[in-house]
């Protein structure tokens, strides 16, 4: 008997409700993936405002769930289990999803699993490319996270190999966009401008790549400052800022460091496959350079389509399906949202 | 009619099952679960409402409606009750009625003109004023305790009077927090009439603390 799993996500600025079917053979099929985003409400502030996000989650939660059931052509009573993001994320935002999930689970009398958002970013790949080759390496890159993970079993055993010591990669994109007058969020406009620019025009630094730096950690704060310094120096000289070259050179630095460290980690730990997920996985240069370097190193590269890489409920439903399939116990009814949930804790 | 009443607009996490006689308006609380812990709304609300249903000997699917305190209240806790009501309403196919939490306190203290105050944090209170019949005549609003217009109120209810004991020179009466009975009483007429519920929109009374960025700081060369 296949099972229907509902997934609820509210860790940042996207309210997501996903529905998947867990088949008897362990494969997971996407049935609905509805997202309501508050990104436009945050744009004028230049970043996500937690209270604005939390208010938007409350307003969007039940309507988004209704849309998901309508899209999937399912009834609420078809649901066999619910998974919800327990963390990491913004405390007030997480709480809306957790409270909603507890209420849905009580209403439908089904088990509830509080799960890890980061593990969801890995699990979502199974909706597109089938079962994960485990163990594998995962590179998670978004506005809030930049991490290298060793995934032995997505439902229960994930180990952090490295992470950013300051800004997330997506955060660096937002800050650089502000320096050169491009809109928030910065990823898409910088990627677009970079297509017209020369990635070798400016030698921006590669953070944390010195001989004494932690091999699998990242730093993007210095890169952001280097871009600002270069742009301001050009302005002071009265030169026109070559926005396309700045974008291409900045993007090259980000993609270079991310892919070099990811490939090095996969090689060192003997991991034959790599998943890249999170909002920045949609970046064209990151995926192109990753494809090139993985091919050269003999690593199978899996990048879910952009719609699945950004935050959504389908990824939480997908992870929930793997957790259910693994026979893991449901969460206690009084479990808490955990803003700093470590990636090693896949279920709470 | 069988009703579930919820409130998370104060430090109390409140859930109760009540029956409402749609003809007489009589309210009978069958079971309630209340914990005073401002940091446990998200943890406890649903376990408490399922326990209240168990104590009342009913299944959630036997309910006819949900009543939820819509604040005013501190935002993070307030949203727990509101989203729980929204999800239960969707999940069980029930109407969910928002009511003003201050009105629910006043509904249990009718008789003489009344001031209701609850803690809004940041040295402020949420307040509303009621006439002898329990009709709200001012508020809800948020003010510093000493700026609350007491006017003709002769009593004060709500835990704001305990948080700021020197600010209100009035006899303190119960209740301190919205009760299941008070919540149901406020919504009783609409529920009995089968009225379409208002949208489940919380009364925040404050804008988010967020400022648009000014000129970007320059880096040091």
């Amino acid at each position: 008997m296949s099972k229907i799993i509902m997934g609820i996500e509210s860790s940042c600025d996207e309210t997501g409700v996903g529905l998947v079917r867990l088949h008897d053979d362990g494969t997971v099929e996407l049935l609905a993936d509805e997202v309501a985003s508050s990104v436009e409400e945050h744009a004028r502030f230049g970043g996500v405002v937690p209270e604005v996000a939390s208010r938007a989650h409350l307003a969007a939660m039940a309507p988004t769930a209704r849309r998901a059931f309508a899209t999937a052509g399912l009834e609420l009573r078809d649901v066999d289990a619910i998974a919800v993001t327990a963390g990491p994320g913004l405390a007030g935002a997480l709480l809306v999803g957790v409270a909603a999930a507890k209420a849905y689970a009580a209403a439908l009398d089904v088990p509830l699993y509080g799960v890890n958002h980061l593990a969801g970013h890995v699990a979502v790949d199974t909706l597109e490319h089938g079962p994960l080759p485990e163990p594998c390496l995962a590179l998670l890159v978004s506005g809030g996270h930049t991490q290298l993970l060793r995934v032995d079993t997505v439902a229960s055993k994930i180990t952090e190999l490295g992470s950013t010591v300051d800004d997330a990669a997506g955060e660096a994109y937002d800050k650089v966009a502000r320096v050169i007058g491009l809109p928030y969020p910065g990823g898409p406009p910088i990627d677009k401008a970079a297509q017209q620019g020369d990635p070798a025009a400016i030698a921006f630094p590669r953070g944390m790549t010195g001989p004494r730096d932690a091999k699998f950690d990242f730093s993007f704060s210095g890169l952001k400052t280097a871009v600002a310094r270069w742009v301001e120096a050009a302005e002071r000289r009265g030169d026109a800022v070559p926005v396309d070259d700045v974008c291409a050179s900045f993007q090259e630095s980000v993609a270079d460091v991310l892919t070099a460290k990811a490939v090095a980690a996969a090689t060192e730990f003997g991991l034959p496959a790599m998943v890249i997920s999170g909002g920045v996985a949609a970046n064209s240069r990151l995926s192109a350079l990753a494809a090139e370097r993985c091919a050269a190193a003999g690593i199978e590269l899996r990048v879910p389509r952009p719609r699945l890489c950004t935050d959504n409920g389908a990824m939480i439903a997908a992870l929930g399906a793997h957790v259910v399939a693994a026979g893991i116990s449901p969460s206690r009814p009084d479990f808490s949202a955990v803003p700093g949930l470590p990636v090693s804790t896949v279920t709470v | 009619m069988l009703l579930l009443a919820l409130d998370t607009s104060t430090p109390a996490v409140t859930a109760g099952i009540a029956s409402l006689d749609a003809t007489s308006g009589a309210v009978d609380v069958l079971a309630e679960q209340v914990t005073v812990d401002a940091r446990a709304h998200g943890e406890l609300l649903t376990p408490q409402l399922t326990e209240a249903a168990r104590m009342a000997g009913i299944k959630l699917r036997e309910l006819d409606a949900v009543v939820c305190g819509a604040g005013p209240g501190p935002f993070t806790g307030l949203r727990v009750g509101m989203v729980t009501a929204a999800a239960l309403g969707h999940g069980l196919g029930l109407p969910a009625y928002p009511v003003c939490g201050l009105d629910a306190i006043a509904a249990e203290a009718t008789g003489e003109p009344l001031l209701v105050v609850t803690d809004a944090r940041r040295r402020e209170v949420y307040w509303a004023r009621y006439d002898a019949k329990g009709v709200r005549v001012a508020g809800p609003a948020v003010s510093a305790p000493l700026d609350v217009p007491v006017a003709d109120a002769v009593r004060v209810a709500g835990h704001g009077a305990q948080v700021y004991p020197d600010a209100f020179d009035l006899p303190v009466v119960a209740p301190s927090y919205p009760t299941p009975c008070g919540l149901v009483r406020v919504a009783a007429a609409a529920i009995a009439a089968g009225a379409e519920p208002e949208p489940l929109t919380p009364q925040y009374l404050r804008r988010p603390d967020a400022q648009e960025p000014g000129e970007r700081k320059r880096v040091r060369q």
Side-chain angles (χ1 to χ4, degrees):
Chain A
M1 268 288 283
S2 69
K3 288 182 173 167
I4 301 293
I5 317 294
M6 177 183 185
I8 297 177
E9 154 67 26
S10 71
S11 65
C12 190
D13 60 345
E14 323 276 358
T15 313
V17 178
L19 291 163
V20 302
R21 186 185 301 278
L22 168 63
H23 290 281
D24 293 341
D25 63 1
T27 59
V28 185
E29 176 192 0
L30 177 62
L31 303 176
D33 171 22
E34 292 295 324
V35 171
S37 177
S38 60
V39 65
E40 287 172 14
E41 296 175 58
H42 304 289
R44 67 194 174 99
F45 299 112
V48 175
V49 180
E51 177 61 22
V52 171
S54 300
R55 290 183 181 196
H57 284 308
L58 172 57
M61 186 56 70
T64 305
R66 285 179 209 275
R67 284 208 312 278
F69 282 95
T71 304
L74 291 174
E75 302 292 334
L76 285 149
R77 64 171 176 275
D78 297 326
V79 171
D80 294 294
I82 300 177
V84 62
T85 300
L90 302 169
L94 289 167
L95 192 55
V96 176
V98 167
K102 288 184 180 184
Y104 276 114
L108 305 177
D109 197 16
V110 296
L112 174 63
Y113 301 84
V115 300
N116 191 300
H117 175 85
L118 302 171
H121 274 307
V122 181
V124 76
D125 184 64
T126 62
L127 296 176
E128 183 150 347
H129 299 120
L132 279 179
E134 289 166 336
C136 65
L137 183 98
L139 169 63
L140 299 190
V141 268
S142 71
H145 307 285
T146 305
Q147 297 190 310
L148 277 175
L149 309 173
R150 176 193 167 103
V151 182
D152 285 284
T153 309
V154 72
S156 60
K157 190 171 182 214
I158 300 180
T159 313
E160 181 181 294
L161 304 176
S163 70
T164 182
V165 297
D166 42 54
D167 291 351
E171 200 178 349
Y173 269 85
D174 294 340
K175 289 176 175 174
V176 164
R178 191 150 178 250
V179 167
I180 53 182
L182 292 175
Y184 170 90
I190 287 178
D191 197 1
K192 187 164 175 235
Q195 312 293 321
Q196 322 298 326
D198 175 4
I202 308 159
F204 286 132
R206 268 60 170 162
M208 298 282 282
T209 52
R212 281 191 297 276
D213 288 326
K215 262 193 298 188
F216 303 130
D217 282 343
F218 302 96
S219 167
F220 296 103
S221 177
L223 171 60
K224 166 208 68 187
T225 304
V227 173
R229 195 170 278 151
W230 195 93
V231 167
E232 286 170 21
E235 286 169 342
R236 231 186 340 271
R237 290 192 306 270
D239 296 351
V241 175
V243 168
D244 295 348
D245 284 348
V246 170
C247 288
S249 299
F250 161 74
Q251 178 151 294
E252 191 65 19
S253 172
V254 174
D256 181 22
V257 175
L258 288 172
T259 55
K261 293 203 175 206
V263 168
T267 306
E268 176 160 330
F269 292 97
L271 304 172
M274 180 190 303
V275 177
I276 304 183
S277 188
V280 181
N283 182 270
S284 66
R285 184 56 187 150
L286 175 61
S287 46
L289 193 53
E292 196 181 295
R293 288 179 171 174
C294 282
I299 298 164
E300 179 199 347
L301 176 64
R302 296 162 56 123
V303 185
R305 60 183 178 269
R307 180 68 176 75
L308 294 178
C309 280
T310 50
D311 292 352
N312 59 70
M315 66 190 232
I316 302 305
L319 177 57
H322 294 293
V323 166
V324 168
I328 291 164
S329 299
S331 303
R332 285 167 45 114
D334 62 349
F335 79 89
S336 303
V338 186
L341 189 68
V343 69
S344 53
T345 306
V346 179
T347 52
V348 300
Chain B
M1 305 174 82
L2 276 174
L3 308 176
L4 169 65
L6 308 173
D7 190 90
T8 56
S9 64
T10 71
V13 185
T14 299
I17 303 287
S19 68
L20 169 69
D21 184 321
T23 318
S24 70
V27 176
D28 185 14
V29 174
L30 306 178
E32 61 182 34
Q33 287 276 298
V34 180
T35 306
V36 179
D37 182 348
R39 302 183 61 81
H41 296 91
E43 285 78 3
L44 298 183
L45 183 63
T46 289
Q48 286 188 186
L49 73 88
T50 52
E51 175 61 12
R54 192 195 63 77
M55 288 163 61
I58 67 151
K59 301 278 184 202
L60 292 178
R61 61 175 175 272
E62 295 173 58
L63 291 168
D64 295 297
V66 179
V67 182
C68 181
F75 311 153
T76 302
L78 174 59
R79 277 189 285 267
V80 169
M82 298 297 285
V83 81
T84 299
L88 288 174
H90 178 210
L92 296 165
L94 298 176
Y97 293 84
V99 300
C100 172
L102 303 174
D103 290 1
I105 292 174
E108 294 259 76
T110 52
E112 288 179 291
L114 175 75
L115 180 68
V116 176
V117 289
T118 58
D119 187 12
R121 302 188 188 154
R122 302 185 195 177
R123 301 166 186 254
E124 290 189 314
V125 291
Y126 299 113
W127 64 271
R129 214 170 53 241
Y130 300 82
D131 67 14
K133 292 177 189 156
V135 176
R136 173 152 37 91
V137 293
V142 59
S143 311
L146 293 172
D147 294 340
V148 174
V150 174
D152 63 343
V154 297
R155 306 167 303 152
V156 61
H159 77 294
Q162 285 127 44
V163 177
Y164 298 101
D166 301 330
F168 306 100
D169 188 19
L170 296 171
V172 177
V173 296
S176 294
Y177 306 112
T179 62
C181 182
L183 292 159
V184 170
R185 280 191 180 153
V186 175
I191 294 170
E196 180 77 15
E198 298 289 316
L200 282 170
T201 307
Q203 300 193 33
Y204 290 118
L205 304 189
R206 284 180 185 143
R207 291 179 178 282
D209 282 334
Q211 292 197 331
E212 290 182 40
E215 181 72 4
R216 189 176 58 79
K217 276 190 299 194
R218 317 297 286 185
V219 291
R220 294 220 331 254
Q221 295 294 319

